[in-house]
Amino acid sequence: MNKLLVAFLRWCRIGLWLSLAAMALGSQAGTLEAGSAPAMRELHRKLSDRLADSPLKRPVVLDSMETDGGLQGDVYAVVNHSIDDVRRALERSSQWCEMLILHINNRRCRAEHGSNGEKLTLSVVPRYDKPIDQAFELTFVHRVAHATREYLLVDLSAESGPMGTSHYRVLLEAVPLGERQTFLHFAYAYDHNMVARLATMAYLATFGSDKVGFTVVGKTPDGGPEYIRGLRGLVERNAMRYFLTLEAYLDGFAVPPPERADKRLNSWFQAVEMYPTQLHEIDLATYLAVKREDRQRDAGTGR
């Protein structure tokens, strides 16, 4: 067991990772029910008060839960971008790669088109300062299930992940709210076996004991908000980080193509720093230096 915990702690900064949230049925995150434009519009109506009064300083609602087999979380948000831009950002695996690489721990992403469709392989390090050869690779199948001006549904799936995790599912739904706004459902889920669950809980009770999520579960002795911890706190942090990668990627469309990469990096970092209690890890100069190193390395290898 000690060896297992050491191995897990090496990887736990992945955050058990790719965060976002999912529409999972039963205990398997791999099961997905397709939505629809009317269903999304009704969901927007039901969430309108929570979106308007969100404590997250933007029209965003973040939910999380533990399932019998793993974790899932959902981010619902209104963004000031057209659905055409959202579709343009996510309809190809190469664009997902450009988006996901904004995350500090994602050091490389490769997109490929094969006989079974588009795939992307993400290389994730346990800490931003670890070399790329310590990265774990996770390969997703990319699928555009529905893409019109009224409704977008895109999902990614991976059968296996690190340290006993499996059945990863990343999902994005979107409907337009007029010409310049879009209502999004950005979702993420995965399963974990009992060993992985125990290892995660051991980390969260020790080295990760100061980590919190976004859901307020009470008040601290001084009257401040008391945030959720543990497994749900973990999935909420990841879900928010990855929603912010999407928003930062969309922000890049506002500037000319040569300026987009830097615009997106700065937008992601600034957005993360709005939530220092949950998401702060490094300063801007270090973040940009890491990403510049990644860009130079991959340019040199032709990836």
Side-chain angles (χ1 to χ4, degrees):
M1 184 64 178
N2 288 338
K3 290 183 178 180
L4 175 63
L5 288 176
V6 169
F8 173 78
L9 292 176
R10 178 185 174 192
W11 287 108
C12 63
R13 291 301 292 272
I14 297 175
L16 282 179
W17 94 219
L18 179 44
S19 346
L20 324 159
M23 298 171 64
L25 300 179
S27 64
Q28 292 225 344
T31 303
L32 174 69
E33 278 194 345
S36 66
M40 280 287 284
R41 293 191 182 282
E42 175 63 14
L43 186 57
H44 177 255
R45 185 190 66 79
K46 290 180 178 179
L47 292 175
S48 59
D49 289 344
R50 293 178 66 189
L51 290 166
D53 299 328
S54 174
L56 299 175
K57 307 173 188 176
R58 61 181 71 201
V60 173
V61 171
L62 176 58
D63 289 333
S64 63
M65 68 178 293
E66 294 185 54
T67 66
D68 290 340
L71 293 169
Q72 67 180 67
D74 298 83
V75 179
Y76 306 94
V78 175
V79 297
N80 294 321
H81 298 276
S82 70
I83 195 169
D84 289 336
D85 279 351
V86 176
R87 183 174 62 250
R88 180 159 59 120
L90 300 176
E91 62 187 356
R92 295 196 300 272
S93 58
S94 59
Q95 295 162 313
W96 278 86
C97 272
E98 292 175 0
M99 179 181 76
L100 295 176
I101 207 68
L102 296 173
H103 191 300
I104 183 60
N105 286 5
N106 294 347
R107 303 298 301 277
R108 174 183 289 154
C109 188
R110 304 189 304 273
E112 58 183 323
H113 184 79
S115 57
N116 295 324
E118 292 194 8
K119 295 182 179 180
L120 62 89
T121 299
L122 193 64
S123 298
V124 187
V125 293
R127 269 181 54 92
Y128 70 87
D129 56 353
K130 296 299 182 182
I132 189 68
D133 59 8
Q134 291 188 18
F136 175 84
E137 289 194 343
L138 190 59
T139 298
F140 284 89
V141 175
H142 169 270
R143 184 176 71 104
V144 179
H146 196 95
T148 69
R149 296 206 65 184
E150 295 302 316
Y151 178 65
L152 175 69
L153 173 61
V154 183
D155 70 82
L156 306 179
S157 60
E159 287 302 307
S160 61
M163 302 305 301
T165 57
S166 62
H167 296 105
Y168 281 79
R169 171 58 60 86
V170 178
L171 169 149
L172 183 130
E173 292 182 282
V175 292
L177 300 176
E179 290 297 318
R180 301 191 179 195
Q181 283 192 322
T182 300
F183 176 56
L184 302 175
H185 171 207
F186 201 35
Y188 161 66
Y190 62 86
D191 288 350
H192 53 204
N193 60 29
M194 183 57 68
V195 173
R197 179 184 174 85
L198 291 175
T200 307
M201 293 176 67
Y203 162 72
L204 293 171
T206 53
F207 295 98
S209 60
D210 62 334
K211 302 290 188 180
V212 298
F214 290 87
T215 299
V216 177
V217 294
K219 291 185 177 181
T220 61
D222 62 1
E226 180 180 352
Y227 295 106
I228 196 165
R229 297 175 181 269
L231 294 172
R232 283 184 58 194
L234 181 152
V235 79
E236 286 185 5
R237 291 192 300 277
N238 284 326
M240 193 63 175
R241 281 193 181 99
Y242 280 95
F243 164 71
L244 295 176
T245 66
L246 171 58
E247 196 167 46
Y249 190 78
L250 291 169
D251 287 346
F253 289 136
V255 300
E259 302 174 21
R260 287 178 182 172
D262 289 339
K263 169 69 173 176
R264 287 163 174 158
L265 290 172
N266 281 279
S267 292
W268 184 82
F269 185 87
Q270 291 168 9
V272 166
E273 288 300 294
M274 289 179 62
Y275 312 101
T277 301
Q278 293 88 358
L279 303 182
H280 174 76
E281 291 195 40
I282 61 173
D283 59 83
L284 176 60
T286 303
Y287 171 68
L288 294 178
V290 169
K291 292 305 175 184
R292 182 168 56 250
E293 175 188 335
D294 291 343
R295 196 182 304 174
Q296 292 171 347
R297 180 199 62 236
D298 291 344
T301 60
R303 291 180 182 271

